[in-house]
Structures are given as structure tokens and as C-alpha cells.
């Protein structure tokens, strides 16, 4: 290999050496005082990350496991929930609901656009039987960030639980449970948390716990009430991926050292870097407003397919990026910028994008896209994200 691999996919993401070394250690038994103290440390770090004083339950699953756990722990068969469907992961909420007999009322949003909080309010006013809103904070399939804080102002004054899939948002962009009034926030290990796949995390607000306490158990494995009782004494109902929990403790230590606002600021600056570079190349950003801070989606012009472009980027430049999904599979490139990476990885990414685009027959005008990207990065890092 002539180059390092630059993993610029929206999950899994690159890992820091510190985390990898911790995960290389021998096993700790999961019902010992040593593991209980690790769990307590992890809880404290996660409470800062989630902005809650409730427990954050680790589950041995990918992120989708936590989505399923949320649906069957918070809603009964026959209950109606509003699903914001603006991409692949919104559609996943709908599918999970149907499997569990929960009735999805779909609020459809065109791919590439964010939901309007007023549309959420209207849908809830139209049907008083709706008892939850299921949404993504960042819809990774399109690169959109839904206005979760504004949606929370709609739900928190109503008897409606706000359930947010924060898989590509937690530790990437602000999503404070308490401050905004999110009732259920969940994430997975392989996106912003700088860990391998395999661990999901989920937390409920006090009012979501009150609701959960009234719901008969419908899933033996994903039983959040049972998990809560174990978690409160530093255990889990079943065997956790011990190595991932140890890795999580280390990544949370790193977050603690850097500080959450600085991490969000860096994510914002990386987003500005990619967006400026892509625009300077004359390529089309798929999302104009309300873009995510961990993934950027680019529309390719007709005649250039994502498949050969991505293959060239990986082979020649060592840069691994992702295609679009469904109707956008061939027409879109998604550059992930979450996990343990920095501006240098993304400069390599832009360079690979430009070179592979030309290799595939595309025409590019701009010569100074790397300078423009760097300018945007340092300016954004100094100025920080716009105040919400
Ligand atoms: C990655 C992701 C998931 C979870 O996918 P898994 O493969 O189950 O980990 C869920 N929602 C969003 C928004 C994601 O980006």
C-alpha cells in the first residue's frame, strides 16, 4: 500500500490509538467490582454527553437495536406515532413500528430537506391519538439535520414523547436531552463515539420512564426496565461487549479532556471544510440548509456514477467514501466526517474526490479548492457554529 486508508464513511469511523489499545486488553468479568466501577465511570461521562441525570443503557447491538428497543418499550400495539420520514433511517422507524404493531402516521419529507416543526405541530393537532414523534436528528442517508430543538418545543408541551435517533448526532452536534426536552435519545458506537460497531446506548427522560413503566414487556432481550435495574448497580441484564465498554470509557475520557463544545466546534469546522471544498470544485451540495455535521452528501452530474468513482478513490488514494442510498445510489457520494479524523483526512478526501471525478470523465474548473477548504475550516474553527 502506498497510502494510509482514510475511512471517510458515515460509520464505521476511524479509531484513536488510545481507544484501540484499551480494547486490546484482556477480559474483565462483567459481574465484578472492577466492571461495576467501569460502568459507573461510563455513566458519568455519558450523562454529560446526553445532558441527562438518568441512566444511559448500553445494549449489545448496533444502533438499530436501540431503535427497536425504544419502539417496543415506549408504545403499545395499536398506539399511533408520528414518524418523520425523510430518508432511509426515517423509513426504518416505520418498519420497526409495523413489526411491533405500533401504527406509524407518516410525515413525509422530500430527501434532502428538513422537517418543518410547524408541520409536526399540525400533524399532532390533527390527531390527538398520536403519542410519540419518531425522528432522526441527523438523517445520515441524505445528510440532513432535522431541527430537533424546535421539534422538541412542539412535543414537550404536549403528552407526546419525542424519540430521537441520534446515531450520527450524539457527540457530533448538540442534542442535549434535558435542555431541549428530548424524551428518548439513542446512539450507536461506530459513528461519533470513535468505537467499533456493536454497542448501542439509549436514555429516557423521566416522563418517558413513567410511560415505559406502564407498557407490558414485549421483547425479552431489549427490556429497558430490566436493564435500568441492572445498570443502577453497575451491571447489565446480559453479557455486554466488555472490550467496547472499556473503549467507551477511554473515548469518554478523551471527550472530557477536550470538552463537548470544542468537539462540536471541530465537527462544525470539518463540515465547513468539506462544503467549501466541494463548492469550490463546482460540485453540487445536496443539502443547502439544515445540513448534518457528520456527513456531507454530494450530487454527481449526469454521466458520472458513484460506483467507479468510489472504487478509484479507494484504490488510488486510499480514501473510502460512501455512495448514496436507494434512488440516489449512483448519483450521490457521501463523505463521512465523524470519529477520529481531522482536517488532513478531509483534504485527502477532497483531493481523492477531485482526482477520481476527473478520472471518471468529469470536468472540474477550480484549482484552489484545497486552499478554500482550509480557509473555511480555520475561519469556522475560530468563529464556531452560529448561535442557535
Ligand atoms: C448508522 C445509523 C443507524 C444505525 O445503523 P446500525 O447499522 O444499526 O448501527 C441508525 N440511524 C442513523 C441515523 C444512522 O446513521
Amino acid at each position: 500500500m502506498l497510502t494510509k486508508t482514510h475511512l471517510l464513511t458515515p460509520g464505521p469511523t476511524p479509531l484513536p490509538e488510545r481507544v484501540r489499545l484499551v480494547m486490546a486488553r484482556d477480559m474483565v468479568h462483567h459481574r465484578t467490582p472492577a466492571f461495576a466501577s467501569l460502568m459507573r465511570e461510563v455513566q458519568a461521562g455519558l450523562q454529560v454527553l446526553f445532558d441527562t441525570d438518568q441512566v444511559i443503557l448500553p445494549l449489545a447491538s448496533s444502533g438499530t437495536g436501540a431503535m427497536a428497543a425504544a419502539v417496543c418499550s415506549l408504545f403499545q400495539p395499536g398506539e399511533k406515532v408520528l414518524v418523520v420520514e425523510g430518508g432511509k433511517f426515517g423509513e426504518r422507524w416505520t418498519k420497526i413500528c409495523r413489526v411491533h404493531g405500533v401504527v406509524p402516521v407518516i410525515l413525509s419529507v422530500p430527501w434532502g430537506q428538513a422537517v418543518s416543526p410547524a408541520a409536526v405541530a399540525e400533524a399532532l393537532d390533527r390527531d390527538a391519538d398520536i403519542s410519540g414523534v419518531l425522528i432522526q436528528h441527523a438523517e445520515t442517508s441524505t445528510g440532513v439535520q432535522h431541527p430537533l430543538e424546535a421539534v422538541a418545543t412542539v412535543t414537550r408541551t404536549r403528552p407526546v414523547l419525542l424519540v430521537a435517533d441520534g446515531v450520527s448526532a450524539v457527540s457530533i452536534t448538540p442534542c442535549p436531552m434535558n435542555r431541549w426536552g428530548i424524551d428518548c435519545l439513542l446512539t450507536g458506537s461506530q459513528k461519533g463515539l470513535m468505537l467499533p460497531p456493536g454497542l448501542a446506548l439509549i436514555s429516557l427522560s423521566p416522563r418517558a420512564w413513567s410511560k415505559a413503566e406502564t407498557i407490558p414487556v414485549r421483547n425479552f432481550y431489549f427490556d429497558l426496565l430490566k436493564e435500568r435495574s441492572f445498570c443502577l448497580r453497575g451491571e447489565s441484564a446480559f453479557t455486554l461487549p466488555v472490550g467496547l465498554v472499556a473503549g467507551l470509557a477511554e473515548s469518554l475520557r478523551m471527550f472530557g479532556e477536550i470538552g463537548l463544545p470544542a468537539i462540536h466546534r471541530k465537527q462544525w469546522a470539518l463540515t465547513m471544510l468539506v462544503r467549501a471544498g466541494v463548492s469550490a470544485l463546482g460540485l453540487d451540495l445536496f443539502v443547502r440548509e439544515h445540513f448534518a455535521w457528520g456527513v456531507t452528501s454530494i450530487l454527481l452530474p449526469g454521466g458520472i456514477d458513484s460506483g467507479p468513482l468510489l472504487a478509484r478513490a479507494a484504490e488510488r488514494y486510499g480514501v473510502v467514501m460512501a455512495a448514496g442510498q436507494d434512488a440516489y445510489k449512483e448519483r450521490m457520494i457521501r463523505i463521512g466526517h465523524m470519529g477520529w479524523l481531522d482536517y488532513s483526512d478531509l483534504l485527502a478526501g477532497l483531493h481523492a474526490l477531485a482526482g477520481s471525478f476527473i478520472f471518471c470523465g468529469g470536468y472540474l474548473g477550480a484549482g484552489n479548492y484545497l486552499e478554500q477548504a482550509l480557509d473555511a475550516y480555520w475561519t469556522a474553527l475560530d468563529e464556531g457554529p452560529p448561535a442557535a
Side-chain angles (χ1 to χ4, degrees):
M1 265 312 252
L2 289 174
T3 60
K4 293 201 299 188
T5 296
H6 299 270
L7 191 56
L8 303 185
T9 56
T13 59
L15 309 179
E17 184 179 44
R18 275 175 67 172
V19 168
R20 282 185 278 131
L21 288 175
V22 165
M23 289 189 306
R25 290 185 192 152
D26 204 356
M27 281 300 103
V28 170
H29 192 270
H30 61 289
R31 309 221 184 271
T32 56
F35 189 73
S37 88
L38 190 64
M39 282 281 274
R40 274 192 295 275
E41 181 187 347
V42 163
Q43 284 302 308
L46 288 174
Q47 284 176 335
V48 175
L49 201 59
F50 280 60
D51 178 44
T52 180
D53 50 14
Q54 302 295 307
V55 287
I56 294 93
L57 303 171
L59 302 170
S61 74
S62 78
T64 306
M67 294 173 74
V71 169
C72 63
S73 301
L74 292 172
F75 306 103
Q76 306 238 33
E79 233 181 309
K80 278 192 198 168
V81 296
L82 187 71
V83 177
V84 174
E85 227 191 63
K88 204 74 185 157
F89 291 104
E91 289 168 11
R92 189 167 297 178
W93 276 133
T94 300
K95 290 177 184 166
I96 294 170
C97 286
R98 293 207 167 116
V99 166
H100 292 279
V102 175
V103 182
V105 176
I106 295 169
L107 178 53
S108 190
V109 181
W111 283 42
Q113 288 176 34
V115 72
S116 131
V120 173
E122 263 166 48
L124 295 178
D125 290 341
R126 219 176 308 137
D127 190 342
D129 289 341
I130 295 175
S131 59
V133 172
L134 275 47
I135 190 171
Q136 273 58 46
H137 189 14
E139 173 51 81
T140 320
S141 63
T142 62
V144 162
Q145 183 160 295
H146 289 302
L148 191 60
E149 182 176 16
V151 172
T153 63
V154 173
T155 52
R156 78 179 171 220
T157 51
R158 292 172 164 84
V160 174
L161 296 178
L162 177 59
V163 180
D165 166 359
V167 178
S168 62
V170 170
S171 79
I172 294 165
T173 189
C175 38
M177 286 188 79
N178 257 339
R179 195 146 54 78
W180 288 1
I182 303 166
D183 293 297
C184 172
L185 182 65
L186 60 92
T187 191
S189 50
Q190 80 274 28
K191 310 273 172 105
L193 292 178
M194 313 189 295
L195 294 169
L199 190 68
L201 300 162
I202 182 167
S203 190
L204 304 187
S205 69
R207 75 171 183 162
W209 277 120
S210 305
K211 173 87 185 288
E213 283 157 9
T214 69
I215 309 276
V217 177
R218 302 204 317 286
N219 189 311
F220 181 78
Y221 187 66
F222 292 122
D223 178 348
L224 296 184
L225 287 162
K226 183 166 61 190
E227 288 295 348
R228 177 173 64 170
S229 67
F230 275 87
C231 189
L232 288 169
R233 50 177 207 261
E235 287 188 46
S236 55
F238 310 106
T239 315
L240 280 173
V242 170
L244 285 175
V245 176
L248 175 61
E250 189 66 14
S251 67
L252 291 169
R253 280 174 215 132
M254 291 177 72
F255 288 147
E257 289 161 19
I258 304 164
L260 208 47
I263 289 162
H264 292 154
R265 179 180 277 245
K266 174 188 167 184
Q267 285 301 135
W268 166 256
L270 293 176
T271 308
M272 292 297 104
L273 182 158
V274 175
R275 292 180 69 82
V278 167
S279 300
L281 285 170
L283 295 174
D284 251 0
L285 291 164
F286 185 53
V287 183
R288 297 295 156 107
E289 285 179 274
H290 297 294
F291 44 82
W293 295 12
V295 59
T296 298
S297 45
I298 301 154
L299 270 188
L300 297 171
I304 310 279
D305 272 9
S306 63
L309 194 158
L310 291 172
R312 175 71 178 178
E315 281 155 26
R316 166 93 172 175
Y317 302 92
V319 170
V320 184
M321 298 176 287
Q325 291 186 293
D326 290 355
Y328 290 97
K329 188 166 174 44
E330 268 105 53
R331 299 164 54 202
M332 189 187 286
I333 298 283
R334 289 176 303 147
I335 302 185
H337 32 92
M338 40 187 144
W340 185 242
L341 42 72
D342 69 10
Y343 69 92
S344 64
D345 297 289
L346 291 174
L347 292 179
L350 286 172
H351 179 60
L353 174 64
S356 308
F357 185 79
I358 291 166
F359 178 79
C360 291
Y363 171 78
L364 290 176
N368 64 347
Y369 63 99
L370 294 177
E371 286 87 340
Q372 292 195 40
L374 273 171
D375 268 357
Y377 174 74
W378 291 111
T379 304
L381 200 62
D382 289 341
E383 289 174 0

